[in-house]
Every structure is written in structure tokens, then in C-alpha cells.
Amino acid sequence: MAFRVLSRRIINNIHCSTAMKPRNTCRSSLSTAAVSSPHAAATTLDLEDVEQLFGSVSTKQLLRSSAIQHAMAVESVVDLGIWVTKLKVFESGMLRDLVMNTMRHTLYANYCAGEDAAAAGRSILALNDTGLRSMLAYGAEDALDNEGCDENLQGFLHSVEVTKSLPPSSVSFVVVKITAICPMALLERLSDLLRWQEKDPSFVLPWKQDCFTIFAESSPLYHTQKRPEPLTPEEESDLQLANLRLLKLCEKCEEANVRLLVDAEDTNVQPAIDYFTYSSAIMHNKDNNPIVFGTVQTYLKDAKERLLLTTEAAQKMGVPMGVKLVRGAYMSRESKLAESLGFASPIHSTIQDTHHCFNHCSSFMLEKVANRHGSVVLATHNIESGKLAVAKAHELGVEKVNEKVEFAQLYGMSEALSYGLSNAGFRVSKYMPFGAVEMTMPYLIRRAEENRGVFTASGFDRQLTRKELARRLKALVF
């Protein structure tokens, strides 16, 4: 089956995306004192025993991971790689083939699960043997038309089908990007209309279904400068097709008993993404068993306020809320857009503010879970955030194996934290994108930019990986 390959325009657009660079310190509503207190001593993460942390990881994997981590720490290497992909000669010919082949055996092999669902299934089985679960993510994003959306939908549906042949609970989520199943131009139009209705509540949107709260007072509305025109009959038809695609995917997930996680993307189209997510959640989330999960990017200034309003709205409607919390991966693009329009960036001004927001939102959602309201995925590579969340979970009496709480990290990143959390008894998933190398290029570039520099989140992993490799070499020699 042929799946949609991303256009060069989309690849170019992703080059300006840079993730926040976490540091080791953070302020938190999850009390740091709880981590260091004698009462909590038994609940802290053990990230010192490298033999235990990496016991299930082969030496070959460690060597490859170490080499890539060190290469990505050299900013000039990342800059050169991105520059090459922008060259016109990269569109075809030997240079492109050389770069793609290099990517396949380096970044792609480290960060992606395989080129098709069967290969991803094998990667999931291997990961499951080490005690970790998987979020299966078909790598399509940013479709331009209905034909591309239909092709992408087949890829997502096939992902769900693959989970049926895997061990129970080895796949925690199937992941979807709404930009892959609804044309980008329509998502932009829907977001404009939703933003204008937030500015003017009398503005009627006849196509709008019930959903949770999308905006807060602090939400950026500057993307929509003037009153948008209503959807045309053709656009309404396209919207109905997008609704049907998501409905089909949700029903397939219900049938397979696997949860669906909707990724967050740019604020330019995030209102429409939230609209699709929340309206689907109302339809499919029942009996404190959320099937559809949304994503909140906590590097946005309005994240905490939106999370509060959205969960309150869901609780009033009696709908269990499923939320994945992340820091975010589109910082540079968001700031540049806001600046071009003469507005302040929607991103927190400092990394400490982002840490504080993530930790506060984590605390809030863990309290919700403790009170039997909803579920949360804490997707973080930050060691301190992991420690604080573990301490908070124990403080609240949330059992470590409670299926309503899941930690998550990206495949190929933060292995020490993943195995440390798993060894402590928590459910841990790795985000496992799959698809052709060309399709996953935007994702791989985001990972390269996220890991550039020696002070990134991967620094701690590099240190522990070196320590374990040295231990194994010493054991071999002596």
C-alpha cells in the first residue's frame, strides 16, 4: 500500500522548529522537599545503578546511541545536516540518496521503530521484553488534500490492526496527528473561525459540535486579524470527511481496545486540533475510561489555565478526560510568527517557567487521577520532573501500576529515566514513530534540534551511557 510522502515545502517549514533545552533545576508546585524527605526516600528514582538501568539494553544499542548522542551535541554537525537538506540538489540524485542512507542507519535507526507497521511491531516486541510499552505513531503529518488524508488514514487504521497481533498492553496508545487526516488549509480556516468566536461569542458556527473549553483568557488570538468568512459548501463537505476519518479511527481503537492519543502541533492550527479531539472525547470517553487523549504543551503561557478550564468542563459534562503533558517542540516557529505579527511570544520567557508550568500541571492531573477524574500521561525527559511526579504520586496514594498514570519518553531518548521509572514499578511508554525515512524527516529534524548542544536533556543520558559502557569494558577486560 502506498502512503503519502511529505512535500519538500513541509520539510523546509520544520527546519525552524527548536525544542526547549531543559536544565537540571526547576521550580515546582510538586514540592522539592517531598523528594528529599526521609518519608519519600524510598520513592525516589534510582538513576545511579547503571548496570540495573541498562541491564536489558545490548552493547550494540548502547554504542550506537552513545555515538549519536555525542554527534548531536556538536551544534555544527546538526547545522550542517539541516543545511544539506535545504539544498536544491537534495531534491533528487546521489546526494539525496547518500543523506537518506546515512539517516537510515543513524538518526532513523535510533529514533524510529521501522519503515512499516510489521517492522514497528518487531521493535515493540523487543521493547516489551525489557518491560516498556509503546506508543505506535505512524509518521504522517501535514496533508494537503483529501486524497492525502485518505491515504494517511489507512496508515493509522493499519497501525491499530497491528496492535491486535501484539501482546496485550504492549501498545499503550496509537498516535495520530490531525494534520495528517484533515487538510492543513481547512485546519487553518477552522482555527480562525474558532478564535473569532472566542473574540465575539455572537459569531455563529453552525457546523460546531459539542466540545470542551478550547481557549483561556491568556490564549493567543493574534493569528486571526480580521473576521473570517464562513465555511464554503466545499469546506463544510471537507470538514464532514475529516470528522468521518477521525470517527472511523476512534471506532477502530475501541474495537481493538487501544487508546488514541492526539498530538499537539502549532498554535496556528491547535484550536482546530483541540476541537476535533474534544468533540471526539465527548463521543467516545465513557465510565472513567478515556479512549481519546489530547495533548497540552506546557511551554505555552496559557497551558495551565486551559488545562484547568478544559478539565472542569469535562467534569461538568461527566466525560473522563485523558491528557498527555509535554513541554513542546515548536518554540522557534511560534516565536517567529508572533514577532512577525507584532505580538509577544506565546512561549514562556524562561525555561524555569516552562519547568514550573509542567510540574504544576502534572501535580494538578495527578490529583485528578487520585480523585478518580481522568487519566494522565507525563511525557518528560527532565529528571527532576520525573522525581517530583513520582513523589507526588506516592503522596497522593496513586498506585504505581495504576493504569490511569503513565510516564513516557521518546524512543531513543532518556533511556535511563525510562528504565528507572519502570524499575520503580511505574508504567512507562516509548513514543515509537514509524514510516519511510522521507516521511519521518520532519520528526528526525526536530529530534536533532532538540538534542543539539552539550547542555540538552540528553547530557545526563550521555553521562550514564558512557559509565555503563566503561563498566562493561572493564568487566570484559578483567
Side-chain angles (χ1 to χ4, degrees):
M1 182 179 293
F3 296 131
R4 188 82 169 166
V5 176
L6 298 181
S7 70
R8 179 169 178 77
R9 180 192 67 79
I10 298 168
I11 293 176
N12 286 337
N13 284 345
I14 204 67
H15 288 145
C16 64
S17 172
T18 304
M20 302 290 284
K21 298 181 179 180
R23 300 173 188 168
N24 291 328
T25 59
C26 60
R27 295 176 289 143
S28 173
S29 60
L30 295 159
S31 172
T32 305
V35 175
S36 58
S37 71
H39 175 72
T43 72
T44 56
L45 295 178
D46 179 7
L47 299 178
E48 299 300 323
D49 186 346
V50 292
E51 184 176 5
Q52 183 183 35
L53 285 175
F54 297 112
S56 58
V57 183
S58 70
T59 300
K60 179 182 177 181
Q61 286 177 286
L62 283 176
L63 286 169
R64 183 184 66 195
S65 178
S66 180
I68 290 174
Q69 288 170 1
H70 282 81
M72 292 304 97
V74 182
E75 297 204 32
S76 58
V77 171
V78 178
D79 291 337
L80 176 62
I82 293 174
W83 175 76
V84 169
T85 62
K86 291 181 179 180
L87 296 175
K88 189 171 184 179
V89 293
F90 181 73
E91 294 180 7
S92 61
M94 292 181 60
L95 177 61
R96 183 179 184 280
D97 293 341
L98 176 62
V99 171
M100 287 298 176
N101 193 49
T102 302
M103 293 278 280
R104 179 176 285 106
H105 296 289
T106 53
L107 289 181
Y108 182 88
N110 196 64
Y111 296 128
C112 294
E115 296 204 36
D116 55 33
R122 291 191 291 272
S123 297
I124 289 169
L125 287 173
L127 198 64
N128 191 55
D129 287 341
T130 71
L132 302 183
R133 285 146 56 91
S134 298
M135 297 177 172
L136 186 56
Y138 179 57
E141 55 186 270
D142 289 16
L144 302 179
D145 52 37
N146 284 317
E147 180 185 1
C149 291
D150 289 338
E151 291 178 359
N152 290 337
L153 175 63
Q154 295 309 308
F156 291 116
L157 293 174
H158 185 54
S159 299
V160 180
E161 193 65 30
V162 166
T163 67
K164 296 180 180 180
S165 63
L166 296 170
S169 297
S170 62
V171 177
S172 54
F173 291 91
V174 167
V175 182
V176 65
K177 279 181 161 45
I178 298 298
T179 58
I181 59 172
C182 180
M184 283 293 294
L186 180 57
L187 286 173
E188 291 170 356
R189 288 276 287 127
L190 294 173
S191 295
D192 278 338
L193 289 161
L194 290 165
R195 276 189 289 260
W196 197 265
Q197 187 183 61
E198 181 66 15
K199 292 180 178 181
D200 178 9
S202 67
F203 189 59
V204 177
L205 302 177
W207 45 265
K208 187 177 179 182
Q209 304 177 60
D210 287 341
C211 70
F212 306 144
T213 305
I214 294 175
F215 301 100
E217 286 188 13
S218 56
S219 295
L221 304 177
Y222 53 74
H223 306 76
T224 307
Q225 299 290 303
K226 61 181 181 179
R227 181 187 177 99
E229 293 295 322
L231 294 182
T232 65
E234 182 180 1
E235 287 174 326
E236 288 198 12
S237 175
D238 288 346
L239 174 57
Q240 181 62 21
L241 290 174
N243 284 329
L244 289 173
R245 291 186 196 103
L246 185 54
L247 175 63
K248 185 176 292 187
L249 184 55
C250 289
E251 290 176 343
K252 188 77 170 179
C253 286
E254 283 187 301
E255 174 194 321
N257 195 31
V258 63
R259 296 172 294 181
L260 181 68
L261 176 63
V262 181
D263 264 341
E265 302 185 58
D266 301 84
T267 59
N268 186 40
V269 293
Q270 191 60 43
I273 293 172
D274 286 341
Y275 166 72
F276 277 107
T277 305
Y278 298 155
S279 59
S280 296
I282 290 171
M283 188 181 306
H284 298 281
N285 293 0
K286 310 290 183 184
D287 303 324
N288 200 29
N289 181 35
I291 295 294
V292 181
F293 279 59
T295 301
V296 174
Q297 300 188 101
T298 61
Y299 72 173
L300 295 170
K301 294 174 182 176
D302 69 335
K304 187 164 54 179
E305 188 181 1
R306 278 192 297 113
L307 180 63
L308 174 63
L309 293 172
T310 301
T311 52
E312 282 184 349
Q315 197 165 331
K316 286 180 180 178
M317 297 176 70
V319 178
M321 183 74 173
V323 178
K324 181 181 79 165
L325 296 177
V326 299
R327 278 171 171 77
Y330 302 90
M331 182 177 72
S332 179
R333 193 188 306 180
E334 297 288 8
S335 297
K336 287 180 180 178
L337 176 60
E339 183 180 359
S340 71
L341 296 172
F343 289 87
S345 172
I347 307 297
H348 287 298
S349 301
T350 68
I351 187 64
Q352 280 75 21
D353 287 340
T354 296
H355 289 326
H356 179 69
C357 185
F358 181 92
N359 293 328
H360 182 95
C361 291
S362 296
S363 177
F364 174 79
M365 285 305 303
L366 286 170
E367 288 173 356
K368 287 288 185 184
V369 170
N371 291 317
R372 300 185 59 80
H373 296 300
S375 303
V376 66
V377 178
L378 302 176
T380 180
H381 296 161
N382 184 270
I383 301 298
E384 192 68 14
S385 290
K387 290 180 178 179
L388 293 170
V390 166
K392 183 67 176 183
H394 283 286
E395 175 191 324
L396 293 169
V398 177
E399 294 296 329
K400 289 183 288 187
V401 294
N402 188 323
E403 63 181 12
K404 304 301 182 184
V405 178
E406 186 116 12
F407 286 90
Q409 290 80 41
L410 298 175
Y411 185 57
M413 289 178 62
S414 295
E415 307 293 65
L417 180 58
S418 296
Y419 286 112
L421 288 164
S422 179
N423 290 344
F426 287 90
R427 287 191 169 197
V428 182
S429 285
K430 301 294 275 189
Y431 186 99
M432 306 277 282
F434 76 93
V437 178
E438 294 88 344
M439 175 182 288
T440 60
M441 278 287 286
Y443 177 83
L444 293 175
I445 291 170
R446 289 198 292 270
R447 299 292 73 79
E449 292 188 326
E450 185 172 4
N451 286 292
R452 71 160 76 217
V454 296
F455 297 111
T456 62
S458 63
F460 185 73
D461 256 15
R462 289 198 301 272
Q463 177 186 346
L464 292 182
T465 302
R466 286 197 305 268
K467 186 177 178 181
E468 171 60 5
L469 286 170
R471 188 199 65 78
R472 294 186 185 188
L473 178 61
K474 184 178 179 179
L476 183 65
V477 173
F478 298 101

